[in-house]
Amino acid sequence: MRKVRILTYIFLCILFSVPFLGAQYTRTKSIALYSVFDSLPPVNSDSAITTRDSLRIDSIPADTAKQQKEALDAIVDYKAKDSIVLTADKWGYLYGEAEVNYTEIKLKGEKIYMNMDSSLVHATFGLDSVGKEFGFPIFSDGGTDYESKTMKYNFKTKKGYITDVITSQGEGFVTAGRAKKNEDNSFFMQGGRYTTCDDHEHPHFYLAMTKAKVKPKKNVVTGPAYLVIEDLPLPIGLPFGFFPFSDKYSSGVIMPSYGDEMDRGFNLHDGGYYFAINDNIDLSVTGDIYTKGSWGLKTQSSYRKRYKYSGSFSANYLVNKYGDKDDADYSVNKDFSINWTHSQDPKANMFRTLSASVNFKTSSFDRNSLDTRYRNTENSNTKSSTVSLTQKIPNSAWSLSASMSVAQRSADSTVAITLPNLTINMSRIYPFKRKQVVGAERWYEKIQLSYTGDFRNSITTKEDKIFKSNLQKDWNNAMQHKIPVSATFSVFNYLNITPSFNYTERWYTSKVTQKYDPSSDNFIAKDTTYSFNRVYDFSFSLGFQTKLYGMYTPLFSKSTKIRHVFTPSISFNYAPDFSDPHWGFYEREWYYDKNGIRREEVYSPYERGMFGTAPSTAQGSISFSFENNLEMKVKSESDSTGFKKISLIDNLSINFSHNMMAKEFKWSDISTNIRLKFSKSFVVNVGAAFDPYLYETASDGKSGVRIDKLRISRGGKGIGRLRSTGYSISPSINQDTFKKWFGKGDDKDKTNTDGENPPTDDTGAGENAEGGERKSLLGGKTDDNQYDEDGYIKNDIKWNLGFNFSMNLGYGTYNPEKREYGYRITKNFGLNGSIQPTKNWNFNFNATYDFDAKKIAYMTMNITRNLHCWSISASVNPVGMYKTYYVTLRANSSMLQDLKYEQRGRSSGYDPDWD
């Protein structure tokens, strides 16, 4: 019954609402028709009646009223921080950091006036209470900014008139007194300047341009121009000029430098062309030429592919001619060098790695190259090059690697080449370990083994004989297999027992038989037989090791603890005598010496092999090793644990062995080593070896012969006599060293890092939320943080001083009376350092001292002065083979590297010595 009442109420509401809804619909339709009729042009009554009767909208004629064309095709947005005034004559006045935006065009200034009808806008700067100018107009169009004092611009024609304009182009700045901007964003200027100095009011140097046309980010074309330095016009002019700009690197000419040498004459060097191939690789080709006929060619390239690899490559070829053709000392030297570095990004491939470090030069290249002639190349007598490729097999213990290596010795032009060197490696595995472990680990599951296989093909010869060598006769090739097997067992929880077995096998493709040579009283190579040969050996060892701890509390401090860690270890080693005939690795040759005595020589045909041969003596030795570590723990409030550890002796070790199967000299030298760790960067290592045997005077009465008698057997001789020792240190200190030792720095340093108001870089809160507030180019130079809060220049002197010293003591001349060898001491000392007394000065030096010659072996000094947009540097080598100097004055900008002056010393064999 209730549902019937609800339905009845709904029906009555709908019934009474229908008349009101119909009336509303009729009223809306009438208004729409009247709106259409109001837009119709005047017509006579007959046509009007006909049109209304037909009620056909498509018969109504269209509106022919002429619409007014808009002056601009986009909205002009403007704002100001202070106020905006609009006048009846359609002028708008914007005050206080005003800004007008139209499409991609932006105009900022302290004051902007604009006309709504003519699309004209005028911007100018403001004056503060003391008459200082601020808020200079900045015009941005197409990513290029122009800053000026006054500016007029037409949004419709895209042309403008600018006074005192300045814009940044490349690494330099273009300024002009008057300029006219064109529709294509270029502008003509009169009374312009081009400079790389950022002191725009008074630049240290600039190129004065009478008239010029500037295409932003493309080029500057000038009429007559001349160079001005420190407001002094120089008589160096150009009838016209062309300065290209580019956001991307591009190809171009590399201007050469000039020089003068006594041996090769005047020269132009490092001139050529630079090729910008693409974003991943470039190439430069340069050359040297001398007036006396010498020349050189250089190529250099660098490449990089992000997340893949990077590297560089260079190759040099030199032809040097010394003397005149008619002279007896006339010579022609040809040298070349190849340098290649390649590194692979770890993210490129986790299983394959390619790396290269190639530094190959002919032995005389450093002496003849102008780039390295005045450097200390005597200390780099040896050079090495390596190229390696490693491939890891996923989900396995195997890996493969292939490499090529070259070692050079410049003193005698010896070259050792290994090509290729293939290595197969299996990392440590546990062959008896169960896949599903149940219960405790069993003893045989601790057995581990690994494998390493090497195949090498190498040669050692002279540089001029590399390409004349025979692959079979001159090159050595062999393969070696190594299989170590070991395990570690713990006994009584304190003793570790480590048994091990090592197997080594060598494969050779040749063997060399020897014969006795009476003229030299020595064995020499007789014949080489090419065949497959196996040489193997093996050894066993058993080691015992434990650790003992001792704690001590000194009487002077109850809170101080001293801990001593003593690590003794003993190992037994055994290897059979592989010179025994049943192994077949050694040959026996009977001969008569020069005195007619019949002797036997035992040698191995494989002893000159790449991997050597099996040992010829049996090994049954016991090795002893004792290591000590001493630390002290003291209270310290700076440490979170409340204690600080101090290393008294980082390591003190003693090692010696006894070979029970040797026929004589069963005891080895006693070697000791101590390592003292004063700080993380200052560690001193001192090693020494003691000889346990006595010496007797030889038959010549001058030299000593070691005899099989221990020193301890003769009273007063001790256990061993010092045979050799040495140590080396290379500490360095700087301006922060004493602060770390004696304090934590002054309070001013803390405020810079821990203060409540850290320094800002003018970003964030400005109107430009993306890149921060733009600094004005017309404003004065900023402080650049050279002065402190009191207005004084900061005297923050940065310096660094380091030295390296090494001393070695060893046996020298034999003393027949004492029947002992004397001692000989060799020392090496080097000193290096740098100091930066001010921000713009920098001085560094490097020197080595020869104690035998009692003079400085090498020294170089360099001093540099930053002259804001210029820099001057001097390098002097006052001692050594190449006493010379080199002074250069150049612009800092990379675009103006050819704007320089150089002066180089003329060092040669004909020059007089100067000290």
Side-chain angles (χ1 to χ4, degrees):
M1 189 66 181
R2 182 179 179 184
K3 293 181 180 180
V4 175
R5 282 201 306 267
I6 294 174
L7 293 176
T8 303
Y9 293 152
I10 295 174
F11 174 76
L12 292 177
C13 290
I14 295 174
L15 181 62
F16 285 103
S17 299
V18 168
F20 297 99
L21 294 175
Q24 181 67 21
Y25 174 76
T26 304
R27 181 176 181 274
T28 303
K29 187 174 182 182
S30 301
I31 294 175
L33 290 175
Y34 288 143
S35 299
V36 175
F37 292 155
D38 290 342
S39 63
L40 297 177
V43 294
N44 54 36
S45 58
D46 296 335
S47 61
I49 295 173
T50 304
T51 303
R52 291 179 180 179
D53 291 341
S54 62
L55 294 178
R56 293 182 59 186
I57 303 301
D58 55 356
S59 64
I60 301 174
D63 190 0
T64 59
K66 187 176 181 180
Q67 299 289 338
Q68 184 178 0
K69 188 177 181 180
E70 296 290 342
L72 300 175
D73 54 1
I75 298 175
V76 178
D77 185 19
Y78 55 89
K79 61 181 179 179
K81 185 176 181 181
D82 190 350
S83 60
I84 300 176
V85 180
L86 302 177
T87 62
D89 53 355
K90 295 187 178 181
W91 273 91
Y93 300 87
L94 286 69
Y95 300 96
E97 299 182 12
E99 180 178 347
V100 177
N101 298 324
Y102 173 70
T103 62
E104 297 181 355
I105 300 173
K106 296 182 180 180
L107 179 61
K108 297 180 181 180
E110 182 63 21
K111 299 177 183 180
I112 296 179
Y113 315 137
M114 61 181 183
N115 189 287
M116 304 300 181
D117 291 338
S118 60
S119 304
L120 293 176
V121 63
H122 177 267
T124 183
F125 57 89
L127 295 174
D128 60 11
S129 59
V130 296
K132 183 179 179 181
E133 299 173 349
F134 71 97
F136 298 102
I138 300 174
F139 179 81
S140 301
D141 187 5
T144 304
D145 294 340
Y146 308 90
E147 188 170 355
S148 63
K149 289 191 175 181
T150 63
M151 180 180 298
K152 294 180 181 179
Y153 186 75
N154 191 319
F155 285 116
K156 186 176 181 180
T157 61
K158 296 184 179 180
K159 294 181 179 181
Y161 178 77
I162 313 172
T163 62
D164 297 320
V165 63
I166 179 171
T167 179
S168 174
Q169 297 295 327
E171 295 184 14
F173 302 92
V174 177
T175 64
R178 294 185 298 167
K180 179 182 178 182
K181 183 185 178 300
N182 301 318
E183 186 178 359
D184 59 355
N185 210 21
S186 65
F187 60 92
F188 296 99
M189 53 192 263
Q190 190 175 19
R193 301 175 179 177
Y194 176 74
T195 181
T196 59
C197 182
D198 59 359
D199 190 357
H200 314 297
E201 294 292 334
H202 300 284
H204 295 91
F205 81 100
Y206 61 88
L207 188 67
M209 301 176 291
T210 56
K211 295 181 179 180
K213 181 180 180 180
V214 179
K215 292 183 177 180
K217 298 183 180 181
K218 291 184 178 181
N219 55 60
V220 174
V221 182
T222 74
Y226 56 91
L227 185 64
V228 179
I229 298 180
E230 291 293 349
D231 295 331
L232 177 64
L234 299 182
I236 302 176
L238 299 173
F240 62 91
F242 178 78
F243 302 93
F245 306 112
S246 178
D247 292 339
K248 299 181 180 179
Y249 72 96
S250 58
S251 303
V253 177
I254 301 175
M255 297 298 295
S257 302
Y258 66 90
D260 180 20
E261 285 191 8
M262 186 70 70
D263 297 339
R264 293 178 285 189
F266 293 96
N267 62 77
L268 293 175
H269 59 92
D270 294 335
Y273 198 83
Y274 176 81
F275 299 91
I277 300 176
N278 54 44
D279 292 339
N280 298 327
I281 186 172
D282 65 353
L283 174 66
S284 65
V285 180
T286 59
D288 304 338
I289 186 171
Y290 299 82
T291 55
K292 292 186 178 182
S294 301
W295 59 276
L297 184 64
K298 308 175 185 178
T299 61
Q300 186 172 0
S301 176
S302 60
Y303 56 89
R304 179 181 180 86
K305 192 170 184 180
R306 184 173 296 181
Y307 309 123
K308 292 292 185 179
Y309 51 79
S310 63
S312 62
F313 175 82
S314 65
N316 300 340
Y317 182 75
L318 301 176
V319 177
N320 290 283
K321 299 179 181 180
Y322 297 102
D324 297 328
K325 292 184 177 180
D326 299 333
D327 296 340
D329 58 350
Y330 176 77
S331 63
V332 178
N333 297 327
K334 297 181 180 180
D335 299 287
F336 71 93
S337 72
I338 297 176
N339 290 271
W340 178 37
T341 60
H342 179 89
S343 61
Q344 180 177 305
D345 194 298
K347 296 182 288 295
N349 193 321
M350 61 183 301
F351 300 110
R352 185 183 299 111
T353 304
L354 175 64
S355 63
S357 176
V358 178
N359 181 19
F360 184 84
K361 298 179 182 179
T362 54
S363 57
S364 60
F365 179 85
D366 289 334
R367 295 193 298 268
N368 296 324
S369 174
L370 188 63
D371 297 332
T372 58
R373 191 175 188 184
Y374 304 101
R375 299 177 185 173
N376 182 26
T377 57
E378 299 175 359
N379 295 335
S380 58
N381 182 44
T382 59
K383 304 177 182 66
S384 61
S385 305
T386 304
V387 180
S388 61
L389 174 65
T390 303
Q391 175 66 54
K392 297 180 180 179
I393 300 178
N395 302 323
S396 71
W398 294 92
S399 64
L400 307 174
S401 65
S403 64
M404 181 272 292
S405 62
V406 179
Q408 295 178 262
R409 192 166 60 241
S410 302
D412 55 359
S413 68
T414 301
V415 180
I417 302 176
T418 301
L419 178 68
N421 183 11
L422 302 177
T423 302
I424 303 174
N425 185 70
M426 182 189 72
S427 60
R428 182 176 55 188
I429 63 172
Y430 296 86
F432 305 109
K433 204 174 190 67
R434 292 169 292 175
K435 294 183 179 180
Q436 296 181 355
V437 180
V438 178
E441 186 180 24
R442 299 170 184 175
W443 67 269
Y444 54 83
E445 292 183 312
K446 297 180 179 181
I447 298 176
Q448 59 185 9
L449 65 88
S450 59
Y451 167 79
T452 301
D454 291 327
F455 172 76
R456 298 180 190 175
N457 184 43
S458 65
I459 184 175
T460 301
T461 183
K462 300 294 183 180
E463 290 180 359
D464 55 349
K465 297 181 180 180
I466 296 177
F467 299 103
K468 300 178 183 179
S469 59
N470 184 277
L471 182 61
Q472 183 181 13
K473 296 182 179 180
D474 299 327
W475 287 74
N476 297 323
N477 42 70
M479 188 167 185
Q480 178 179 252
H481 309 269
K482 285 188 174 183
I483 304 176
V485 182
S486 63
T488 301
F489 306 101
S490 180
V491 180
F492 307 120
N493 296 327
Y494 299 107
L495 182 64
N496 293 327
I497 301 178
T498 305
S500 63
F501 170 78
N502 293 277
Y503 178 81
T504 302
E505 182 169 326
R506 308 164 187 86
W507 292 351
Y508 291 117
T509 58
S510 64
K511 66 177 182 177
V512 180
T513 57
Q514 302 179 14
K515 69 175 182 178
Y516 176 72
D517 181 21
S519 60
S520 61
D521 193 22
N522 200 359
F523 268 72
I524 61 174
K526 175 184 177 182
D527 189 19
T528 302
T529 304
Y530 297 97
S531 61
F532 178 76
N533 302 275
R534 293 175 58 242
V535 182
Y536 59 87
D537 66 86
F538 52 86
S539 63
F540 301 91
S541 66
L542 181 63
F544 300 88
Q545 186 184 60
T546 187
K547 285 183 179 292
L548 302 176
Y549 297 87
M551 302 296 295
Y552 172 72
T553 302
L555 297 177
F556 58 85
S557 177
K558 298 297 182 181
S559 61
T560 301
K561 301 292 183 181
I562 297 178
R563 188 185 72 168
H564 176 214
V565 181
F566 178 60
T567 308
S569 63
I570 302 175
S571 62
F572 300 89
N573 301 276
Y574 170 76
D577 182 7
F578 290 97
S579 64
D580 192 276
H582 81 274
W583 297 106
F585 301 148
Y586 283 80
E587 300 288 342
R588 283 168 167 76
E589 185 75 17
W590 291 94
Y591 69 99
Y592 290 92
D593 62 8
K594 61 181 180 180
N595 298 321
I597 302 175
R598 189 171 185 266
R599 299 182 181 275
E600 182 186 20
E601 179 71 17
V602 180
Y603 72 93
S604 174
Y606 317 103
E607 60 187 16
R608 300 181 182 179
M610 186 178 303
F611 299 108
T613 186
S616 60
T617 57
Q619 295 288 329
S621 62
I622 303 176
S623 300
F624 302 89
S625 176
F626 305 98
E627 296 184 357
N628 299 268
N629 175 267
L630 199 63
E631 291 181 335
M632 182 172 62
K633 183 184 290 187
V634 297
K635 283 188 175 182
S636 176
E637 296 180 357
S638 60
D639 198 288
S640 59
T641 61
F643 291 91
K644 179 181 179 181
K645 289 183 179 181
I646 299 177
S647 176
L648 300 179
I649 299 177
D650 194 56
N651 184 41
L652 172 61
S653 62
I654 302 174
N655 302 276
F656 58 92
S657 63
H658 177 72
N659 189 358
M660 297 178 292
M661 303 187 69
K663 296 181 180 180
E664 58 180 1
F665 304 111
K666 295 185 177 182
W667 289 95
S668 67
D669 288 349
I670 303 172
S671 62
T672 61
N673 183 78
I674 184 171
R675 182 172 66 245
L676 303 176
K677 189 176 182 181
F678 296 100
S679 66
K680 292 183 179 180
S681 59
F682 188 20
V683 180
V684 177
N685 285 279
V686 180
F690 295 87
D691 189 355
Y693 288 95
L694 294 171
Y695 286 82
E696 294 289 347
T697 304
S699 58
D700 59 2
K702 296 180 180 180
S703 60
V705 179
R706 196 183 194 193
I707 60 176
D708 190 18
K709 290 185 178 180
L710 294 174
R711 302 182 67 87
I712 196 173
S713 63
R714 186 175 297 178
K717 291 293 185 179
I719 298 177
R721 185 171 185 264
L722 181 63
R723 175 195 291 271
S724 63
T725 184
Y727 71 93
S728 63
I729 55 175
S730 56
S732 63
I733 57 176
N734 54 33
Q735 69 278 355
D736 298 327
T737 303
F738 297 103
K739 293 182 180 179
K740 295 178 180 178
W741 289 354
F742 304 109
K744 301 180 181 179
D746 53 16
D747 296 335
K748 293 183 179 180
D749 295 336
K750 293 182 180 180
T751 55
N752 291 337
T753 56
D754 302 330
E756 296 180 357
N757 298 319
T760 60
D761 54 355
D762 297 334
T763 60
E767 295 179 359
N768 189 354
E770 296 177 357
E773 184 179 354
R774 180 186 181 276
K775 295 184 179 180
S776 174
L777 298 177
L778 285 172
K781 290 183 64 179
T782 57
D783 176 20
D784 65 10
N785 202 26
Q786 293 190 38
Y787 300 90
D788 59 15
E789 56 186 7
D790 298 324
Y792 295 99
I793 296 178
K794 292 182 179 179
N795 189 21
D796 187 13
I797 300 177
K798 297 181 180 180
W799 58 273
N800 178 71
L801 180 64
F803 69 92
N804 55 82
F805 178 77
S806 63
M807 184 181 71
N808 294 280
L809 182 144
Y811 279 171
T813 306
Y814 180 75
N815 189 341
E817 297 180 358
K818 296 181 179 181
R819 290 184 295 181
E820 297 285 1
Y821 275 96
Y823 291 111
R824 181 177 181 270
I825 300 177
T826 59
K827 300 181 289 293
N828 294 296
F829 178 76
L831 184 66
N832 61 85
S834 65
I835 183 172
Q836 191 176 2
T838 65
K839 179 182 178 181
N840 299 321
W841 282 99
N842 190 13
F843 173 76
N844 63 79
F845 67 93
N846 188 3
T848 58
Y849 184 79
D850 188 346
F851 286 93
D852 294 334
K854 296 182 179 180
K855 66 177 183 179
I856 298 176
Y858 170 75
M859 175 180 287
T860 178
M861 295 180 292
N862 302 280
I863 186 170
T864 304
R865 174 69 165 95
N866 185 6
L867 303 174
H868 188 240
C869 50
W870 288 72
S871 64
I872 184 172
S873 62
S875 177
V876 182
N877 291 355
V879 297
M881 182 182 298
Y882 300 110
K883 299 178 181 179
T884 184
Y885 66 92
Y886 175 65
V887 180
T888 176
L889 174 67
R890 67 173 68 233
N892 290 336
S893 173
S894 60
M895 296 179 58
L896 301 177
Q897 287 299 293
D898 301 320
L899 188 61
K900 61 185 177 180
Y901 171 78
E902 295 178 336
Q903 182 64 39
R904 190 189 301 267
R906 302 177 64 192
S907 175
S908 73
Y910 301 101
D911 290 340
D913 293 336
W914 57 282
D915 295 319

